[in-house]
Amino acid sequence: MRDNFLARRDWLAAAGCGMLGAFVASPLPQVVAGHQPEGGKKSPPFRLGLASYTLRKFPRLEALAMTRQVGLEYICLKDFHLRLDASDEEIAQAKEDVAKFGLTLYAGGVITMAKPDQVEQAFSYAQKSGMKLIIGVPHPDVLDLVEQKIQETGVGVAIHNHGPEDRLYPTPYEAYERVQQRDKRFGLCIDIGHTIRAGVNPAKAAREIADRLLDVHIKDVSEAAPKGRTVEIGRGVIDIPEFLKTLLELNYSGVVAFEHEKDPDQPLAGLAESVGYVRGVLAVLLRG
């Protein structure tokens, strides 16, 4: 534990004031694999975003404003901010709200899909909202239907692992076994906090399921054990530099979405600290 703390302290020292500058600067430009912004500054092949569960205690407009305040441009809406049974008019208003704040609504979730009608609802919701991806927990009984809907709509599905309490998908590996022979748009969202709570190294897992890695939920936790709880990124036990270095080496081109579950009534400070830490580490990795 102390070795991990010292390693993170060294990263902070190496990043120096650049870490703070990365946070207070204007939001990162949209990046795609191979993109090099003006001035020759390197950028990662992936994009930084937010899982709106982080801001579950706040109404949609406030959540969108806070997302922009910390400089993120991509958002995955949880049903707190856009109900699964929303009318067409409500969905249209949500899309307008997202665009007003200069955000990209890339995904929805996490969405449970235990029955066929829930699968149908999830895909209709995603299509009407313009989402390219569903972050979901599909029951094994509906996997064939999910794959069929992926092929019909072009909307991808990333199975989210939920740690040792999850009987279906505690780690990314259980999900990987279910999808590895299916449509390539049927993949995984690795939640690195739940992954390490289940005793699995997130960087190692990312390498081993890389061909199905469609989304990432990034966070830090207090312990690599079931009782571990979310803390600000850089204060916990996950080796964040190792994980981000792995994503760069894999040329991962999806979204890395912050899911800061701590302090739901006052999450902004912890979210901002987490975003700043990740940007500082990325600055060092890309410079090196």
Side-chain angles (χ1 to χ4, degrees):
M1 175 79 117
R2 178 169 173 77
D3 289 344
N4 285 342
F5 172 78
L6 292 173
R8 284 189 291 276
R9 187 186 65 182
D10 292 343
W11 273 96
L12 284 168
C17 293
M19 192 169 182
L20 177 60
F23 168 61
V24 300
S26 58
L28 289 174
Q30 180 174 335
V31 292
V32 295
H35 176 64
Q36 183 110 341
E38 293 182 10
K41 184 178 179 181
K42 293 181 180 178
S43 62
F46 52 82
R47 295 145 292 176
L48 298 179
L50 183 78
S52 82
Y53 182 76
T54 302
L55 306 174
R56 57 199 177 276
K57 294 293 186 73
F58 297 84
R60 183 171 65 233
L61 289 177
E62 288 185 41
L64 296 174
M66 294 164 78
T67 302
R68 285 299 293 185
Q69 189 174 353
V70 296
L72 300 173
E73 292 185 340
Y74 289 79
I75 191 161
C76 171
L77 287 184
K78 181 68 174 167
D79 54 7
F80 297 104
H81 300 118
L82 180 57
R83 295 182 298 109
L84 286 168
D85 61 353
S87 68
D88 291 355
E89 292 76 16
E90 290 170 327
I91 289 175
Q93 183 60 59
K95 291 171 67 176
E96 184 179 321
D97 291 344
V98 170
K100 185 191 310 179
F101 283 91
L103 298 169
T104 297
L105 176 54
Y106 83 95
V110 175
I111 299 174
T112 298
M113 292 179 280
K115 300 177 181 178
D117 62 326
Q118 292 176 316
V119 175
E120 297 286 350
Q121 181 186 56
F123 277 89
S124 175
Y125 173 83
Q127 278 190 291
K128 290 178 180 179
S129 304
M131 299 168 180
K132 303 299 183 184
L133 189 65
I134 294 169
I135 313 302
V137 182
H139 191 278
D141 290 347
V142 300
L143 293 180
D144 288 343
L145 177 59
V146 171
E147 184 175 32
Q148 177 186 325
K149 297 299 292 184
I150 289 171
Q151 293 167 347
E152 290 175 359
T153 66
V155 175
V157 172
I159 298 179
H160 183 284
N161 64 289
H162 271 108
E165 301 86 359
D166 183 354
R167 65 182 182 84
L168 289 177
Y169 310 114
T171 77
Y173 296 120
E174 289 80 14
Y176 186 75
E177 290 174 2
R178 298 280 188 177
V179 302
Q180 61 179 321
Q181 301 301 323
R182 294 183 179 271
D183 190 290
K184 291 292 187 182
R185 293 164 292 185
F186 201 171
L188 311 178
C189 169
I190 181 172
D191 182 307
I192 69 173
H194 291 316
T195 298
I196 203 166
R197 288 196 313 108
V200 174
N201 181 314
K204 180 175 182 291
R207 287 189 183 280
E208 293 175 347
I209 55 91
D211 62 313
R212 293 289 169 157
L213 184 58
L214 301 182
D215 196 64
V216 171
H217 280 183
I218 192 167
K219 62 185 65 164
D220 208 344
V221 295
S222 58
E223 296 182 59
K227 63 180 180 179
R229 294 293 177 262
T230 302
V231 296
E232 293 80 0
I233 293 179
R235 297 194 190 193
V237 297
I238 299 178
D239 190 336
I240 298 295
E242 177 196 28
F243 182 75
L244 293 173
K245 183 172 183 287
T246 297
L247 293 184
L248 292 173
E249 290 172 349
L250 293 173
N251 200 34
Y252 168 70
S253 59
V255 174
V256 174
F258 291 85
E259 189 177 40
H260 184 69
E261 296 160 322
K262 186 187 175 200
D263 303 325
D265 293 315
Q266 295 181 312
L268 193 57
L271 174 61
E273 180 180 334
S274 297
V275 172
Y277 183 89
V278 167
R279 284 187 173 163
V281 171
L282 283 173
V284 175
L285 288 171
L286 292 167
R287 193 168 64 222

